[in-house]
Amino acid sequence: MSAPEADLAGWTAAPFTGGGYTHDVYRKGEGPGVVLIPEIPGIHPGVLALGNHLVDNGFTVAIPSLFGEPGRAATAGYAVSTIARACVAREFAAFATNKNRPVSQFLRALARNLNASTPGKGVGVIGQCFTGGFALAAAVDDSVLAPVLSQPSLPIPLTPAQRRDPGVSRLELDVVADRAANDGLCAMGLRFSEDKLSPGERFATIKERLGDAFEVIEIPSGTGNEHGFSKMAHSVLTDEVREIEGHPAYEARKRVVEFLTARLAAS
């Protein structure tokens, strides 16, 4: 069995401008809003399948096209060329620590816009891989009630400081921590245990600041793990999902839906 995939059928695209940037945003569904930020190399069939799954569970989903060609299948060459371009883009500041990334302003504006056109008092945001930490940065805005960080990989973890860095600036993390302590904000983080692109030190930093408000799901991917995950396993909610009861990535995806449903319904 392979990971779920889908195409662009039923998705409508329109340009959206916020924070000085303009990107096409693909939208589908009804109900509370969720901003689904794609992983490298872009809005590939696995990301679209995740979007459809969220739509089927009662959400309005908005997927910003930050890089890549929407609908194009993910291949190794395509991923390498996309990440090479993304790593030098000022918008993403791929290597910087303690950084307020410019793309965060765009995503906060998108979250506010989605919130204004969907039921409830707030939205969820899911970031993945290259964009994983952007979900936490978006939660600086009051419109975001349910940030989900799936294998956050920025800053690219080449040094100990980069591995510990939460992917947001200190000021942004201060705001999110204050919201967690005083406004009931909760966040979720997902990673595979051996994933060097998304180091455990990063979640430890966030956990230290958010405490019980940060729920972590870490799926074992070491040698001899029960479900045969490679030590290179990375994409929790897309590439590694097998729609089989008890499969850890499938169960993690279910937990994300439960988290979003509870947080956004409570609003």
Side-chain angles (χ1 to χ4, degrees), residues 29-251:
E30 298 179 356
V34 176
V35 176
L36 174 59
I37 318 172
E39 60 194 352
I40 294 290
I43 306 177
H44 64 74
V47 171
L48 289 167
L50 176 58
N52 283 346
H53 181 71
L54 294 169
V55 169
D56 290 344
N57 278 274
F59 298 103
T60 301
V61 179
I63 312 179
S65 182
L66 302 181
F67 36 69
E69 178 184 334
R72 181 176 173 180
T75 63
Y78 175 32
V80 168
S81 64
T82 302
I83 198 168
R85 290 191 294 271
C87 279
V88 298
R90 176 182 175 275
E91 189 176 5
F92 305 125
F95 296 93
T97 57
N98 186 27
K99 181 66 174 177
N100 185 334
R101 290 171 167 79
V103 70
S104 301
Q105 301 295 331
F106 171 85
L107 293 168
R108 289 170 197 150
L110 177 59
R112 289 192 296 270
N113 179 267
L114 183 61
N115 184 39
S117 61
T118 53
K121 296 180 180 179
V123 300
V125 180
I126 300 174
Q128 306 174 85
C129 176
F130 196 82
T131 69
F134 300 170
L136 194 64
V140 167
D141 195 275
D142 289 344
S143 65
V144 177
L145 298 182
V148 178
L149 295 67
S150 192
Q151 72 276 353
S153 304
L154 292 190
I156 293 175
L158 302 178
T159 68
Q162 289 168 330
R163 289 194 289 273
R164 291 191 301 268
D165 191 273
V168 297
S169 69
R170 292 187 187 94
L171 289 177
E172 288 173 316
L173 188 55
D174 285 346
V175 173
V176 173
D178 181 73
R179 291 193 64 203
N182 298 306
D183 299 335
L185 178 73
C186 292
M188 174 178 284
L190 315 168
R191 67 180 295 270
F192 284 97
S193 65
E194 307 307 307
D195 187 358
K196 296 186 184 304
L197 289 175
S198 182
E201 295 97 320
R202 183 161 296 156
F203 278 0
T205 297
I206 300 170
K207 187 74 172 177
E208 183 178 357
R209 292 300 309 277
L210 302 189
D212 290 342
F214 185 46
E215 177 183 345
V216 174
I217 295 176
E218 186 174 85
I219 299 174
S221 57
T223 301
N225 69 86
E226 178 184 357
H227 294 274
F229 291 113
S230 163
K231 287 186 177 181
M232 301 295 289
H234 179 63
S235 297
V236 177
L237 298 176
T238 56
D239 294 349
E240 298 297 340
V241 170
R242 302 294 182 269
E243 294 183 320
I244 303 169
E245 291 295 329
H247 184 273
Y250 179 67
E251 296 299 324

